[in-house]
């Protein structure tokens, strides 16, 4: 008998346009990289409770680490939501630590922070930004509230933002999932998340022998859940959908 670790390789669902979208994403990435425009992968890691809670992993320490015997949310001093970006060309990660809710506004505020703190510095001549992301969560391909907030962000930055969603059940292929987030998890193994500042310090240490580096920013802002897009947004929105697979591919072009 052999000792084996289970692998998450069984696809739970499919879509007839799956391969077509993968081919589209491959071409978009190459076009943007060839043009010197940034390509980033975006996603949110699991929400973590702050407090004396057990976390998987082990540490080299001379003292025993004591944690609560139950992970009751009511015992938490708060929570932290890591929203991440991975720059495919530069092999760099950027994490925004939210302390409220994972909403479309939070996702777009995180994008704004990445651009003003990192993007514009390394891509001063960029004409457009390509974002690779899943189709659900705070950046859902089905929700108009994300498109409205994305348009506001494009207007504020004066930068065209192109979105390419991965098809359903294929989030593991999003580059951030295997090039960045596993290293973030490793950097935080076994450490008690007693404060947002502790989480920031730990994630900031995320690196690899191949040159991955990480910057972390705390965004301590309250985000409202259940927001609705403006009543007339669908009728007047300036979002430009591609003719090919428009539900997964579109652009927010800055408006004056």
């Amino acid at each position: 008998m052999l000792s084996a670790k289970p692998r998450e390789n069984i696809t739970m669902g499919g879509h007839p346009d799956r391969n077509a979208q993968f081919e589209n994403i491959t071409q978009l990435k190459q076009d943007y990289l060839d043009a010197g425009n940034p390509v980033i992968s975006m996603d949110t890691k699991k929400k973590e409770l702050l407090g004396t809670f057990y976390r998987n992993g082990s540490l080299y320490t001379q003292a025993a680490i004591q944690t609560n015997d139950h992970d009751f949310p009511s015992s938490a001093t708060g929570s932290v939501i890591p929203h991440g970006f991975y720059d495919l060309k530069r092999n760099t990660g950027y994490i925004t630590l939210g302390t409220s809710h994972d909403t479309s506004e939070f996702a777009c505020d995180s994008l704004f922070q990445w651009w003003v703190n990192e993007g514009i510095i390394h891509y001063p001549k960029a004409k457009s930004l390509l974002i690779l992301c899943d189709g659900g969560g705070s950046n859902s391909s089905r929700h108009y509230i994300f498109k409205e907030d994305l348009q506001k962000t494009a207007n504020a930055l004066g930068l065209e933002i192109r979105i390419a969603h991965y098809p359903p059940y294929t989030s593991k292929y999003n580059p951030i999932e295997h090039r960045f987030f596993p290293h973030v998890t490793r950097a935080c193994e076994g450490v008690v998340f007693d404060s947002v500042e502790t989480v920031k310090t730990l994630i900031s240490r995320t690196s690899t022998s191949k040159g991955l580096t990480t910057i972390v920013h705390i965004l301590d802002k309250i985000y409202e859940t259940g927001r609705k897009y403006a009543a007339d947004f669908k009728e007047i929105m300036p979002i430009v959908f591609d003719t090919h697979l428009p539900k997964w591919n579109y652009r927010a072009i800055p408006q004056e």
Side-chain angles (χ1 to χ4, degrees):
M1 297 180 64
L2 297 176
S3 175
K5 182 179 180 180
R7 297 181 180 180
E8 297 178 339
N9 288 333
I10 301 176
T11 301
M12 296 297 292
H15 194 284
D17 294 323
R18 180 182 186 272
N19 289 341
Q21 179 62 353
F22 270 94
E23 291 173 358
N24 185 56
I25 288 175
T26 298
Q27 187 61 57
L28 283 173
K29 286 194 297 184
Q30 194 59 55
D31 290 345
Y32 269 68
L33 292 173
D34 289 345
N37 287 321
V39 180
I40 61 173
S41 174
M42 176 175 80
D43 200 8
T44 306
K45 278 181 67 65
K46 181 176 71 72
K47 180 179 180 179
E48 300 276 1
L49 295 176
L50 297 177
T52 316
F53 299 111
Y54 171 82
R55 301 189 68 258
N56 287 328
S58 58
L59 296 172
Y60 291 103
T61 177
Q62 295 181 343
I65 300 175
Q66 304 292 332
T67 62
N68 298 342
D69 58 354
H70 289 83
D71 294 343
F72 294 132
S74 59
S75 301
T77 58
S79 61
V80 61
I81 304 168
H83 187 280
F85 299 97
Y86 175 73
D87 185 325
L88 274 66
K89 180 180 180 180
R90 299 181 56 248
N91 188 31
T92 58
Y94 188 95
I95 294 278
T96 300
L97 297 177
T99 57
S100 179
H101 301 286
D102 184 22
T103 66
S104 63
E105 186 181 11
F106 170 56
C108 290
D109 281 353
S110 299
L111 172 59
F112 183 93
Q113 293 295 330
W114 173 82
W115 179 255
V116 298
N117 291 321
E118 283 286 293
I120 197 171
I121 296 173
H122 300 287
Y123 302 97
K125 297 181 180 179
K127 302 298 182 183
S128 183
L129 165 66
L130 173 61
I131 300 179
L132 310 178
C133 57
D134 300 343
S138 56
N139 49 245
S140 174
S141 61
R142 303 182 305 276
H143 295 167
Y144 282 95
I145 187 64
F146 172 63
K147 294 177 177 65
E148 183 177 46
D149 288 338
L150 185 72
Q151 184 64 56
K152 293 177 181 177
T153 304
N155 294 347
L157 296 176
L159 177 71
E160 177 184 279
I161 303 173
R162 172 180 278 279
I163 298 292
H165 292 282
Y166 280 89
Y169 305 105
T170 63
S171 60
K172 66 180 181 180
Y173 295 105
N174 194 353
I176 196 171
E177 297 292 347
H178 49 87
R179 296 187 188 178
F180 183 40
F181 278 171
H183 304 298
V184 174
T185 299
R186 174 176 50 80
C188 299
E189 283 184 341
V191 183
V192 174
F193 283 178
D194 55 9
S195 69
V196 179
E197 288 72 21
T198 295
V199 180
K200 178 181 179 181
T201 299
L202 290 169
I203 296 180
S204 296
R205 298 173 181 172
T206 303
S207 61
T208 67
S209 59
K210 294 184 178 180
L212 174 70
T213 58
T214 306
I215 293 177
V216 185
H217 174 84
I218 297 175
L219 188 54
D220 192 13
K221 176 181 175 181
I222 302 300
Y223 290 97
E224 175 188 354
T225 58
R227 286 174 55 238
K228 304 295 184 182
Y229 57 85
D232 60 347
F233 178 71
K234 288 179 66 175
E235 288 71 30
I236 65 173
M237 67 174 176
I239 296 290
V240 178
F241 292 88
D242 289 9
T243 55
H244 180 58
L245 301 175
K247 60 189 173 184
W248 294 331
N249 303 281
Y250 48 88
R251 292 175 292 148
I253 301 174
Q255 306 294 299
E256 296 182 357

